[in-house]
Amino acid sequence: MATGDPEQSLALLAPAHDHYRTSGNNQALANTLNIIGRGYELLGRYDEARATLRQSLELKRRQGAPVAIASALSNLGLLLHRCGEDEEAQNLFQEALALYEALDNEGEIASTLSNLGLVALGCGDYQQARRYLERALPIQQKVGHQQRGHHLQ
């Protein structure tokens, strides 16, 4: 959606949203709501994005899949940070971080630590931002090195 027309994408997703909502396919509905929420965000329709991403998160919580929950938490956290709601964004990122750490998902741990660093920067807490970013850097370097090595094989 980032490279296309978000308005057109939202229009194309409406039938899928309606289908998944009426069919009871909550996993597909949660994923569709996430995409719609990100589309609203791209269009600057932040209230609609917030409501839609919250719906997606609630469905993903009910499904109980930690990686899906963490992803939804991060997406909502990014939006809330953009809207200046840094305290809630920080709480969401902390919850996502705990899930990613439990899953030992190093790439997402590094990404979430970086997001926490950005929130701390936005709040003017430079020491905390530095701590988050210093934790993220070696993980990002390790993950990046592993990915490059994987491509060479």
Side-chain angles (χ1 to χ4, degrees), residues 26-70:
N26 286 336
Q27 181 177 357
L29 178 59
N31 292 337
T32 303
L33 285 168
N34 185 67
I35 296 167
I36 291 170
R38 297 303 304 246
Y40 286 145
E41 183 178 356
L42 286 171
L43 293 168
R45 294 164 57 179
Y46 299 129
D47 290 338
E48 292 165 284
R50 183 183 297 106
T52 304
L53 290 173
R54 285 190 193 282
Q55 290 173 22
S56 176
L57 174 58
E58 179 57 35
L59 286 171
K60 290 182 180 196
R61 284 191 193 279
R62 281 191 238 152
Q63 294 164 17
V67 72
I69 295 167

Side-chain angles (χ1 to χ4, degrees), residues 5 14 18 26 29-30 42-44 46 66 69-70 72 80 99 111 113 120 134 143 152:
D5 178 356
D18 294 342
N26 286 336
L29 178 59
L42 286 171
L43 293 168
Y46 299 129
I69 295 167
L80 294 178
L99 290 169
S111 178
L113 286 167
E134 284 178 344
V143 170
L152 296 175

